[in-house]
Amino acid sequence: RATMKSLRFISAEALVSNAELARRSLGGVAHNLFPLLFKASYLLERGEVIHDLVENWPLVDFNMGKLLGTTVDYQEDLSHRTCSVCLESCLTGLRDYVLNHPSPYVKRLKVVDLTGIKDVEVQFCECKKTMGRWARTQLLSKLCLELLVYLQETQRNPGAFEISIDVLVDLFVTERNYELVVQALLKKCCCPLKICCVAFRSDNLALQKFFYIIKLTDPSLLRKLEIVHNVRLEMEHLEILFNSIRFPLLMSLTLPARTFNVRRFTASDERMLSNIGAKMGEMTQLTELSVPFSILTGRIQKLLSPLKTPLKMLDVSNCSLDHADMAYLANSFHANHLEALDLSGHNITDLYPSTFFKLLSHSSSVLRSLTLEDCNIQDTHVNMLILGLSPCRKLEEFKFLGNPLSSQGLKHLFTFLCELPMLKNVEFPVPRDCYPIGITYPIDDASVCRFDHQKYESVAEELNLILLQANREDVKASTPLFGSYDAAVQETNNELGAYLIQSFKETLEKFTTSLNNMS
C-alpha cells in the first residue's frame, strides 16, 4: 500500500530528482525545508544531493531517526533503510561541512545523532547494498582521522578546529576494525567531529583490547553495552569491569554465553556474584538484561534482586533455571513490567508450569515479545498455552521454534493466535510429523534440515490460510531454521567464520602436540 505524500513532499522529490538544479538552488532554500529535502533525497537515493544538503546543513541538530521517521509530509518510516549510497553520502557530507567553509561562525550544527538507524533483514532501497553498523563504525572512524590529518597538513582552514560537533553513534568493534576505532577515539579531543558512543557492541575481540577500548568510549555516556560471542568474558572479568568502570546511564546490558557457571562455584564465586548484582543495582537506568547460555541455576534472585529499576526486557535463555528461579521471577517486581521475555531452552510445561503461567499472568498487560524456543511444548500443552497467552493482548511477537508440535497442534494454536489483536510476527517450528519417525528434541544442527519440505510447505500454506480467513494478513509467520535474523552477525559472519576456523586449527595443533609429547 502506497503511503500518501503531501504536495510539499512531491515538490521536494521533483527538485532533488535533478541533482544539478538542486545543487544550484540550495543557497536560496529556506532553512526549515532542509529536513523535507533530505527525506525526499533519501527516498530517491540521490547521494549527491544528500551530500550537499548535509555539507550545507543550516540547523543546530541533525537527527537521522527523526529526519527519516514518520513526518507530516510523508508518513513512511525510512530509518530501516541502511542504504550504502545514502549513508556514505551523509557521512562524507558531514566531513565536508567542516572542511568547506572559511568561517566557523555561520555554522550552527552542534549535534549529529546517527543512532536512529535500524538494521533489518529486507532492504527496500534500489541499490540493495547496505551499510551495517560495523561498516558505519569503520567509515565514521576513517573519516574523522582523515579529516584531522587533512586539517593538520594543509592548515588551510584553521577556523575548522573551532568547530565542535558531537556525533552520537552506536559503535560495533571487532578485531578487524579495532585499531582504526581506537585511533579515532584517542584523537577525539582534537577532531571537530567528536565521536560520542551511546551504544557499544563488541564481538571477536581479545579481552585485553575490549577493556582498553571500553574506557576510551567514555562509559559515563553509554546507554547500551553488548559483549557477545567471541569475547571470552567470565564472571571474574565482569567483576573487574564493574569495579573499575561506572556506567551511570546504562539501560541495556548483554553478556556473552557462559559468563556465569554456577556448577563450579566456590564460596568466593558466590561473593563475586553478589558483588556483580550490587554493582548492577547501582545502574539505576538498567531495564534490559540478556545473559543467554549462562548456567544460573538457583542464583537468579542473587543477580536480580539488587536492581532498583524493574526490568522491561529479560533474556535468560538456556540458563538452566530451576523452580526457585522461576518462582522468584513470577513474584518479583520485574514481572509486572516485562515487555520482552526469552525463556528458551527450559522445559517450562513439565518443570514449573504453574509458576511460568503465573509469571505470564503478571506480565500479560505489558508483554510485547515472548520467546519459548526448544521448550518441549507438545500438542498436549497447547490448550494450557492458549489459556496462558489469552490475557496477553499486547503481544506483538511470539517465537517458539524447536518445539515438538504436530501440524494439527500448530493449526489449533494459530486459530487462537488470530485473536491477539497486536500480533505481527510469529516464528513457528517445522511440524514434528514432517521429520522422520523417532527424531529427538532438541534437534541438532545436522538434522534440522532433514524434513519433508513438500509437506512443510503444505502445512505452512494451511497456517497462512488460517490467518487469511481471520483477516490477519498483517501477521508474518515464518520458520527461520537457524534462528531469527541478526543484522550484526550477518554483517560480520566472514570474520567470525575465519576466527572459528583459526580457533579450531589451533586446538587441533595443541592436541597433535600433546599426542606427540605423549608418544
Side-chain angles (χ1 to χ4, degrees):
R1 190 164 55 85
T3 307
M4 290 289 287
K5 298 173 182 177
S6 71
L7 284 174
R8 271 168 36 111
F9 195 85
I10 294 166
S11 303
E13 282 186 297
L15 175 60
V16 302
S17 294
N18 185 332
E20 198 49 52
L21 176 63
R23 183 169 283 174
R24 288 201 310 269
S25 307
L26 274 186
V29 171
H31 292 179
N32 64 345
L33 291 177
F34 269 68
L36 178 72
L37 292 172
F38 179 81
K39 189 170 183 180
S41 307
Y42 205 96
L43 178 67
L44 300 177
E45 293 173 46
R46 293 286 183 262
E48 61 274 47
V49 182
I50 290 171
H51 172 277
D52 291 356
L53 283 165
V54 177
E55 184 186 1
N56 296 284
W57 199 255
L59 306 172
V60 175
D61 73 321
F62 178 91
N63 186 315
M64 282 287 273
K66 286 182 182 173
L67 290 167
L68 298 178
T70 299
T71 51
V72 175
D73 293 292
Y74 185 54
Q75 291 200 342
E76 187 176 341
D77 186 347
L78 304 180
S79 60
H80 55 270
R81 293 199 185 190
T82 54
C83 171
S84 186
V85 170
C86 296
L87 290 171
E88 187 166 346
S89 301
C90 239
L91 292 173
T92 53
L94 189 58
R95 174 200 62 196
D96 294 340
Y97 176 93
V98 175
L99 284 177
N100 288 353
H101 292 273
S103 165
Y105 303 110
V106 295
K107 295 186 191 305
R108 301 179 62 210
L109 187 59
K110 293 293 175 196
V111 179
V112 171
D113 190 340
L114 303 176
T115 61
I117 303 165
K118 304 179 190 87
D119 295 290
V120 294
E121 186 172 5
V122 181
Q123 283 296 324
F124 293 99
C125 62
E126 282 179 28
C127 74
K128 299 296 179 199
K129 194 180 173 203
T130 63
M131 183 185 286
R133 184 173 164 188
W134 187 93
R136 296 195 295 273
T137 300
Q138 171 95 346
L139 181 60
L140 179 62
S141 302
K142 182 168 168 280
L143 291 175
C144 286
L145 289 170
E146 285 176 356
L147 175 62
L148 198 54
V149 168
Y150 181 82
L151 289 172
Q152 286 170 341
E153 284 180 356
T154 60
Q155 296 183 336
R156 222 175 59 188
N157 185 7
F161 282 109
E162 294 174 40
I163 296 169
S164 179
I165 301 169
D166 287 337
V167 184
L168 275 56
V169 66
D170 299 339
L171 293 182
F172 181 10
V173 179
T174 64
E175 190 69 47
R176 200 153 50 98
N177 67 354
Y178 171 79
E179 292 296 341
L180 186 72
V181 182
V182 162
Q183 288 307 309
L185 291 171
L186 282 170
K187 295 183 168 66
K188 170 182 166 178
C189 57
C190 315
C191 187
L193 297 178
K194 305 196 179 300
I195 294 176
C196 295
C197 177
V198 293
F200 184 86
R201 181 183 175 98
S202 171
D203 194 352
N204 189 31
L205 197 63
L207 211 49
Q208 194 176 354
K209 290 181 176 179
F210 165 74
F211 270 88
Y212 181 65
I213 196 168
I214 197 69
K215 288 176 182 174
L216 294 180
T217 61
D218 190 356
S220 66
L221 299 175
L222 217 54
R223 293 178 211 146
K224 185 171 185 176
L225 176 60
E226 296 171 278
I227 314 164
V228 296
H229 307 124
N230 298 313
V231 180
R232 293 178 181 172
L233 184 91
E234 294 184 7
M235 190 170 66
E236 52 268 35
H237 309 127
L238 185 63
E239 186 185 34
I240 292 166
L241 179 70
F242 286 170
N243 281 341
S244 57
I245 299 173
R246 287 190 71 251
F247 298 93
L249 299 182
L250 198 68
M251 300 167 72
S252 178
L253 175 64
T254 299
L255 298 172
R258 295 179 293 280
T259 299
F260 303 100
N261 183 0
V262 304
R263 284 179 189 156
R264 52 175 180 78
F265 260 30
T266 62
S268 66
D269 289 327
E270 294 287 0
R271 284 194 296 274
M272 206 182 290
L273 184 65
S274 297
N275 186 33
I276 288 168
K279 290 293 179 186
M280 282 167 50
E282 292 172 12
M283 301 171 193
T284 54
Q285 308 289 313
L286 191 68
T287 56
E288 298 182 0
L289 180 64
S290 184
V291 285
F293 292 94
S294 275
I295 298 171
L296 280 163
T297 315
R299 304 305 196 288
I300 279 290
Q301 182 168 0
K302 188 168 271 191
L303 188 66
L304 300 187
S305 60
L307 298 185
K308 313 272 191 311
T309 312
L311 291 171
K312 291 181 181 177
M313 189 282 278
L314 178 63
D315 177 355
V316 281
S317 54
N318 300 283
C319 284
S320 303
L321 303 187
D322 63 11
H323 190 275
D325 294 317
M326 195 59 74
Y328 167 74
L329 287 177
N331 295 301
S332 71
F333 79 131
H334 303 293
N336 297 311
H337 298 85
L338 285 171
E339 295 175 16
L341 176 64
D342 190 340
L343 288 169
S344 298
H346 294 100
N347 193 344
I348 51 171
T349 48
D350 286 343
L351 293 180
Y352 23 63
S354 59
T355 324
F356 164 68
F357 287 114
K358 185 179 182 182
L359 171 60
L360 208 54
S361 166
H362 285 168
S363 60
S364 60
S365 63
V366 291
L367 193 67
R368 291 184 296 104
S369 174
L370 178 64
T371 307
L372 300 175
E373 297 178 1
D374 299 314
C375 285
N376 197 31
I377 298 168
Q378 301 177 35
D379 289 5
T380 51
H381 305 129
V382 169
N383 284 332
M384 186 168 40
L385 187 61
I386 287 171
L387 206 61
L389 289 173
S390 292
C392 303
R393 311 302 288 173
K394 290 187 179 174
L395 197 68
E396 297 172 15
E397 182 175 66
F398 181 38
K399 301 178 182 181
F400 56 107
L401 297 166
N403 286 294
L405 289 158
S406 71
S407 310
Q408 220 43 49
L410 284 169
K411 288 174 198 171
H412 183 23
L413 186 54
F414 263 65
T415 304
F416 157 73
L417 291 176
C418 294
E419 298 171 17
L420 296 176
M422 308 296 284
L423 196 66
K424 292 285 180 283
N425 185 39
V426 175
E427 291 184 3
F428 65 95
V430 173
R432 184 172 194 150
D433 41 304
C434 291
Y435 280 105
I437 293 168
I439 188 86
T440 56
Y441 285 77
I443 302 171
D444 57 64
D445 287 350
S447 307
V448 78
C449 294
R450 292 178 187 161
F451 59 90
D452 186 332
H453 288 255
Q454 199 172 349
K455 187 174 181 181
Y456 165 77
E457 290 300 336
S458 172
V459 174
E461 267 182 49
E462 288 182 65
L463 295 175
N464 275 304
L465 189 61
I466 290 171
L467 295 172
L468 200 64
Q469 287 171 341
N471 294 318
R472 293 304 307 268
E473 301 96 323
D474 57 322
V475 179
K476 179 197 169 195
S478 63
T479 306
L481 287 174
F482 295 101
S484 303
Y485 175 79
D486 185 323
V489 170
Q490 192 69 27
E491 189 183 10
T492 54
N493 57 7
N494 289 341
E495 180 182 351
L496 300 185
Y499 170 84
L500 289 173
I501 290 167
Q502 183 61 32
S503 295
F504 183 60
K505 187 175 166 224
E506 285 170 7
T507 305
L508 277 179
E509 283 171 358
K510 284 175 187 172
F511 182 65
T512 309
T513 306
S514 298
L515 282 178
N516 290 339
N517 290 341
M518 283 169 71
S519 51

